[in-house]
């Protein structure tokens, strides 16, 4: 049976709580690249060697309030969303700014890139707008001397349906399916929306959670949707039938993040109970618990190869685990 094994940890990686983490693949580096976003207003890039040693590569500055989400694309981009209502998109290889997306106040939360090497869009959990918005990552400026362009033109605005008993629809989390067909989002009222990524059509609304849904992700085959909530549960939904398949329980506080392993066999979750948990998808059981963090675990992420897991916490640290 697979397990996660602690490889290394970077204490005081940031000056404040670390809320987000993602892996990125770089053609110019043999090591894993890890990006973290913190309430200290910085996005940091880290190199993780084969031995697991974590070394600071550089800081991406520009945000004026805390960075709440980071994401990497298959097409060589990295982006961050912050409380300053800005989404900054960088070129991975050059570290140069590609574009800056300006959102309305409280309308930029979790972000997710369109999958694929030709990815041109980024989905944004729209917060108080009750929507998921799809923005282009390609600047429209015709001025070749301009390094980047600030814009706020959304291709689509996916409006989460409202039921009478669920009037509050603050959209907190968002995810693309690996096949690029679907976008899912989680809201503070516990509902989850599913959309057609091309047309923006609402395909379904999933109920079941009683508190905010902090994280959503699809299975690698795009057939299942996993959701994590402040109610302490992780749910599995069938994307086609829109039915709740099962739920995982075991965390003693908010489940803040989930990530599916590329092999489809496991889930990793992070919680306000300070733990990282590994779940077996087939048996739907927790098979391992790591309690090395000293505070809430805000985000977890698998690398592309499915060999490592990263976690970040309010204790300001970044941890890396092997997965095998």
């Amino acid at each position: 049976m697979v397990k996660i094994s602690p490889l290394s940890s970077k204490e005081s990686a940031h000056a404040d709580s670390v809320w987000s983490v993602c892996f990125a693949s770089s053609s110019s580096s043999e090591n894993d690249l890890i990006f973290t976003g913190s309430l200290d207003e910085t996005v940091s890039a880290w190199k993780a060697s084969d031995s697991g040693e974590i070394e600071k590569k550089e800081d991406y500055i520009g945000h004026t309030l805390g960075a709440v989400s980071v994401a990497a694309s298959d097409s060589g981009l990295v982006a961050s969303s912050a409380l300053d209502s800005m989404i900054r998109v960088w070129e991975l290889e050059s570290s140069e700014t590609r574009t800056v997306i300006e959102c309305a106040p409280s309308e930029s939360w979790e972000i997710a890139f369109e999958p694929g090497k030709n990815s041109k869009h980024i989905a944004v959990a729209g917060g108080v707008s009750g929507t998921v918005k799809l923005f282009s990552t390609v600047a429209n400026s015709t001025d070749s001397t301009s390094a980047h362009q600030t814009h706020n033109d959304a291709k689509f605005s996916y409006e989460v349906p409202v039921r009478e008993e669920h009037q509050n629809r603050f959209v907190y989390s968002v995810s693309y399916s690996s096949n690029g067909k679907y976008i899912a989002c989680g809201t503070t009222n516990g509902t989850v929306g599913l959309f057609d990524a091309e047309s923006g059509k609402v395909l379904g609304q999933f109920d079941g959670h009683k508190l905010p849904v902090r994280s959503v992700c699809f299975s690698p085959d795009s057939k299942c949707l996993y959701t994590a909530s402040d109610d302490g549960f992780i749910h599995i939904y069938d994307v086609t039938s829109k039915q709740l398949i099962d739920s995982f329980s075991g965390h003693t506080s908010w489940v803040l993040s989930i990530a599916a392993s590329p092999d489809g066999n496991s889930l990793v979750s992070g919680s306000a109970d300070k733990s990282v948990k590994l779940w077996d998808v087939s048996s739907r059981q927790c098979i391992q618990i790591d309690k090395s963090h000293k505070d809430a675990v805000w985000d977890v992420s698998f690398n592309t190869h499915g060999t490592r897991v990263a976690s970040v916490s309010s204790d300001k640290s970044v941890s890396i685990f092997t997965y095998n």
Side-chain angles (χ1 to χ4, degrees):
M1 183 174 289
V2 296
K3 64 178 181 179
I4 53 173
S5 303
L7 186 60
S8 62
S9 182
K10 186 73 173 181
E11 304 297 325
S12 300
H14 283 272
D16 207 334
S17 296
V18 191
W19 272 16
S20 55
V21 64
C22 72
F23 283 92
S25 298
S26 171
S27 60
S28 63
S29 175
E30 296 180 355
N31 301 322
D32 274 327
L33 289 178
I34 300 171
F35 287 82
T36 55
S38 169
L39 292 187
D40 67 7
E41 302 176 6
T42 62
V43 174
S44 296
W46 310 84
K47 292 186 292 185
S49 65
D50 289 341
S51 63
E53 182 180 355
I54 305 172
E55 178 185 350
K56 173 73 74 69
K57 181 174 179 285
E58 62 185 307
D59 286 328
Y60 291 70
I61 59 176
H63 287 301
T64 57
L65 289 173
V68 297
S69 181
V70 291
S73 76
D74 299 325
S75 58
L77 300 176
V78 176
S80 58
S81 173
L83 296 174
D84 60 8
S85 301
M86 296 290 184
I87 297 167
R88 306 186 71 87
V89 183
W90 291 280
E91 299 278 357
L92 181 59
E93 299 296 340
S94 66
S95 301
E96 293 182 355
T97 301
R98 161 73 74 88
T99 187
V100 178
I101 301 166
E102 184 176 358
C103 299
S106 298
E107 291 189 11
S108 57
W109 295 87
E110 189 173 20
I111 53 178
F113 277 104
E114 177 184 14
K117 296 295 184 180
N118 296 318
S119 169
K120 295 180 180 179
H121 298 102
I122 188 168
V124 181
V128 295
S129 69
T131 65
V132 172
K133 295 184 178 180
L134 200 61
F135 291 93
S136 172
T137 58
V138 180
N140 297 321
S141 176
T142 57
D143 180 4
S144 60
T145 63
S146 176
H148 67 269
Q149 179 188 24
T150 299
H151 64 101
N152 59 5
D153 51 321
K155 175 186 176 184
F156 281 124
S157 182
Y158 304 74
E159 187 168 345
V160 179
V162 178
R163 295 180 181 173
E164 186 175 349
E165 67 273 26
H166 296 143
Q167 291 301 311
N168 178 15
R169 55 177 184 176
F170 188 104
V171 179
Y172 192 89
S173 52
V174 69
S175 179
Y176 258 103
S177 62
S178 59
N179 62 11
K181 292 182 178 181
Y182 310 114
I183 292 176
C185 71
T187 72
T188 53
N189 61 32
T191 60
V192 176
L194 180 70
F195 306 91
D196 180 279
E198 181 62 29
S199 67
K201 179 183 177 181
V202 177
L203 299 178
Q205 178 172 300
F206 306 139
D207 294 317
H209 287 298
K210 298 179 180 179
L211 291 173
V213 176
R214 299 272 181 171
S215 183
V216 294
C217 73
F218 288 87
S219 60
D221 61 10
S222 303
K223 293 181 179 180
C224 293
L225 178 66
Y226 304 111
T227 62
S229 171
D230 285 5
D231 61 17
F233 289 92
I234 297 169
H235 284 178
I236 313 173
Y237 295 95
D238 183 277
V239 172
T240 301
S241 69
K242 316 297 188 297
Q243 296 299 309
L244 176 65
I245 299 173
D246 208 341
S247 63
F248 300 158
S249 64
H251 280 297
T252 57
S253 187
W254 302 351
V255 188
L256 300 173
S257 58
I258 49 171
S261 62
D263 61 19
N265 295 325
S266 308
L267 284 176
V268 168
S269 59
S271 170
D273 65 13
K274 307 177 187 178
S275 73
V276 174
K277 290 194 174 189
L278 178 67
W279 306 83
D280 179 70
V281 171
S282 59
S283 67
R284 296 166 192 168
Q285 297 293 320
C286 176
I287 56 177
Q288 193 176 352
I289 304 173
D290 179 86
K291 295 185 177 180
S292 57
H293 283 294
K294 301 178 180 65
D295 208 332
V297 180
W298 276 100
D299 202 9
V300 292
S301 178
F302 275 94
N303 67 355
T304 304
H305 303 294
T307 57
R308 290 183 175 180
V309 174
S311 61
V312 293
S313 168
S314 287
D315 65 12
K316 307 175 186 178
S317 72
V318 181
S319 292
I320 299 178
F321 305 84
T322 58
Y323 171 80
N324 51 42

